Amino acid sequence: MDAELAGLLERAFSTYVDVRRNGYLEPDVSYLAYDFKHWNVPSIGGHMVNDQLNELTNIINGWKSALRRWHAWNLTLEGFPDVMEAWDIRIEFLQPLVHECLLEPSAVRDMMVFVATNAFHQLRLASDPSYPDRLAGDPTAAKPRQRFLTRPDKEIQLQSLIAGFPDAPAYMAALRSLDDEDYTNRTSDYRNRSSHALAPRIEIGQIEAITRKVGPATQLVKNSRGTFDEIDVPGHMRVSYGFGGISPLSSEGARVANMSEFMKARQCYELYRRLLVSAGVESFSGAQGE
């Protein structure tokens, strides 16, 4: 690293520390509490419920911390108007943080399903001796390999497991609001693109200037007005290339969109806690495997 870049990064980090110490940072909410001890669950299934709730709490609290660091860096960069200096600072400090946060809505939605499915499966095992210890996708004698379910299938299974509890409809609605179409649009489908194609850049740089599409083949047919209509050719497809381009995401716009998802995840977490309480988890005992 040359001396000029080192000096720039030192100044940027010093400014960032000042912002962390003195600035107003979002989300301005408390960390989730680790107050699970009153749920005395003397079984291996109960330990699973507590352990996974603890880890889910860690993840959401970690997301909050990451969002506050992201906000601090956005405020820091306001003091570095030079495009190339900001680019160097963003690469060094901010881009990994943005990437982490932008993936969280999808990841946390799936984690919520996983944790709640395990908890209510164990609850049913504890309360109903006839209930089988089997979940959709488990290996069977006929199909000995694990079958990985789609997200809709996992959520349908969870909905069945929690059916009948007062907070179940609100929980499922909150869960399904995470990582929704609005968030996908506001972040240019960053999560899917980063996993399967090319992710949008942050602040600078356009991607996919040339696009490839496959669709129904068409032909021009003269009409009675003396002009031509474009109609599909049945049974034929055509590859077409054109100019496209996906603009970079605004770091601040993406942060605000991501923070909205965090607040939805936090609400979903609180509803999950209420589900556990209404299910009587504090007196939960006797799960198979104890």
Side-chain angles (χ1 to χ4, degrees), residues 21-234:
R21 181 183 295 119
N22 303 311
Y24 170 75
L25 300 176
E26 297 174 328
D28 186 17
V29 294
S30 61
Y31 285 98
L32 297 172
Y34 296 84
D35 54 348
F36 318 140
K37 291 182 179 178
H38 64 286
W39 288 335
N40 183 21
V41 205
S43 68
I44 194 167
H47 289 305
M48 174 189 285
V49 174
N50 281 340
D51 175 71
Q52 293 186 356
L53 177 59
N54 188 77
E55 195 57 36
L56 184 61
T57 307
N58 287 340
I59 288 163
I60 295 178
N61 282 340
W63 186 4
K64 174 198 164 176
S65 293
L67 274 166
R68 289 174 67 83
R69 294 197 300 274
W70 185 356
H71 193 192
W73 276 115
N74 281 356
L75 294 173
T76 297
L77 283 161
E78 291 177 1
F80 293 84
D82 181 84
V83 173
M84 294 314 298
E85 286 189 347
W87 175 259
D88 284 332
I89 295 167
R90 202 175 290 116
I91 288 174
E92 187 72 26
F93 298 116
L94 184 57
Q95 287 194 173
L97 188 61
V98 172
H99 178 76
E100 172 193 347
C101 286
L102 288 175
L103 300 189
E104 288 288 36
S106 176
V108 168
R109 177 170 172 170
D110 290 338
M111 290 173 201
M112 290 271 193
V113 173
F114 175 79
V115 169
T117 297
N118 283 336
F120 281 84
H121 178 64
Q122 292 301 320
L123 179 63
R124 290 186 178 274
L125 285 171
S127 60
D128 181 1
S130 67
Y131 177 77
D133 192 356
R134 185 171 63 249
L135 290 169
D138 282 351
T140 64
K143 296 181 178 180
R145 295 184 64 179
Q146 178 79 30
R147 180 168 63 90
F148 294 98
L149 305 182
T150 64
R151 173 182 281 177
D153 286 341
K154 291 176 185 177
E155 292 179 2
I156 288 170
Q157 175 174 244
L158 173 59
Q159 187 167 343
S160 175
L161 283 168
I162 66 176
F165 292 102
D167 293 306
Y171 176 75
M172 292 305 302
L175 180 72
R176 287 170 171 150
S177 74
L178 271 170
D179 193 37
D180 61 5
E181 184 177 359
D182 177 64
Y183 177 71
T184 298
N185 292 336
R186 291 172 72 184
T187 57
S188 299
D189 201 16
Y190 183 94
R191 203 282 303 176
N192 276 322
R193 288 182 176 279
S194 68
S195 299
H196 307 295
L198 294 172
R201 294 183 180 273
I202 307 300
E203 292 292 348
I204 299 174
Q206 195 176 72
I207 63 166
E208 293 196 33
I210 306 298
T211 62
R212 177 182 182 272
K213 296 181 179 178
V214 180
T218 61
Q219 62 181 357
L220 295 175
V221 176
K222 191 172 184 178
N223 58 39
S224 60
R225 302 184 301 276
T227 59
F228 289 84
D229 296 323
E230 187 176 27
I231 63 170
D232 291 347
V233 180

